[in-house]
Amino acid sequence: MQQAPICNPTTTTARWWSKDSIAIVTGANKGIGYALVKRFAQLGLTVVLTSRDPSKGVKAVDSLKVLGLDGNICFCQLDISDQASVRSFVSWFRSKFDAFDILKLKNTKMKAILGDEKRLSEDRIDMVVGVFLQDVKDGRWERQGWPDIWTDYSVSKLALNAYSRVLARRYEGLVSVNCFCPGFTQTAMTDGQGKHSADDAAEMAASLALLSPSRLTTGKFYTGSTTRGMHSKL
Ligand SMILES: NC(=O)c1ccc[n+]([C@@H]2O[C@H](COP(=O)([O-])OP(=O)(O)OC[C@H]3O[C@@H](n4cnc5c(N)ncnc54)[C@H](OP(=O)(O)O)[C@@H]3O)[C@@H](O)[C@H]2O)c1
């Protein structure tokens, strides 16, 4: 059932964050990630802009310096699909900061298997993704009930959403883990098509990430619309 929309904490509630609040944004050299770095920095947080390609990352940081935001931004290379890069990022981060406050990371058959909350686990997600990959290798995925449009994208998103529920359960009381769908947004991924800009999507993401700790939920899936605000679907 849809709940009441989330208000924008950047304009309506007490500011709990400061320059000592650290946000890490992955895939931040362009699109929504880049816009979110800009928004967090404008709001006064310290933001770690990460990019898998260092030259693109440095270029992105330089373009934010022009806006006078360099005091709030630092850069580190991070390819989230490369274990060595992830390890090297973690050791860089630990050498520089004590902790982070915000981390922004990215059918029917999947829903039937992963929708069972009690049985949801990391192993189960790995197993389902493994079956999908095998079906693709064997050339039979179309007959096996996987989503027929945006197939690999849908499977990866469902796995990520399911994983966020596993993490939310595991770290309940310590960390809030939520998913956010920005809606159809004008970025490179959509060839510039969409209902709103990356800046609009970043504003919605910031309004969720910066909710006061007492109002922040965990294990939820939010969707955002510039006209209807942010809603939780779970
Ligand atoms: N745009 C939409 O309508 C829409 C709707 C729903 C959900 N989303 C989600 O929102 C997120 C951002 O999308 P976007 O529209 O901003 O896309 P985008 O403009 O294409 O940007 C994607 C970013 O992710 C980076 N990236 C890709 N693989 C990576 C990896 N392995 N490690 C680190 N970074 C990686 C890209 O780096 P490179 O420049 O090096 O490729 C780029 O910076 C995605 O998860 C997307 O699925 C978007």
Side-chain angles (χ1 to χ4, degrees), residues 27 29 31-32 52 56 79-81 106 153 157 183 185 187 190:
N29 53 285
I32 299 166
R52 58 180 167 178
K56 288 184 190 171
D79 182 335
I80 56 168
S81 63
K106 314 206 174 46
Y153 184 78
K157 286 298 181 206
T185 306
T187 65
T190 59

Side-chain angles (χ1 to χ4, degrees), residues 32-135:
I32 299 166
Y34 173 81
L36 191 55
V37 170
K38 184 168 66 175
R39 192 67 192 120
F40 281 151
Q42 285 168 337
L43 289 166
L45 289 97
T46 294
V47 197
V48 182
L49 184 157
T50 72
S51 162
R52 58 180 167 178
D53 178 334
S55 63
K56 288 184 190 171
V58 169
K59 210 168 149 198
V61 173
D62 285 346
S63 71
L64 293 168
K65 278 185 190 163
V66 174
L67 302 178
L69 298 171
D70 45 321
N72 292 73
I73 296 170
C74 52
F75 170 72
C76 186
Q77 191 272 347
L78 174 59
D79 182 335
I80 56 168
S81 63
D82 175 354
Q83 282 300 314
S85 168
V86 172
R87 274 195 293 272
S88 146
F89 174 78
V90 169
S91 101
W92 171 86
F93 185 85
R94 283 193 172 140
S95 71
K96 238 177 137 49
F97 302 102
D98 295 327
F100 65 84
D101 299 274
I102 299 166
L103 170 64
K104 175 260 163 198
L105 283 181
K106 314 206 174 46
N107 144 347
T108 48
K109 176 169 179 157
M110 292 284 281
K111 271 190 187 150
I113 304 170
L114 292 177
D116 182 351
E117 182 80 37
K118 283 192 192 124
R119 297 174 65 198
L120 194 56
S121 67
E122 230 166 310
D123 286 347
R124 201 162 174 78
I125 297 168
D126 281 350
M127 185 271 288
V128 173
V129 173
V131 171
F132 171 67
L133 293 175
Q134 196 57 50
D135 282 349

Side-chain angles (χ1 to χ4, degrees), residues 161-175:
N161 294 346
Y163 185 51
S164 77
R165 303 287 294 271
V166 172
L167 291 181
R169 211 165 49 198
R170 187 180 302 159
Y171 297 111
E172 192 158 11
L174 291 172
V175 179

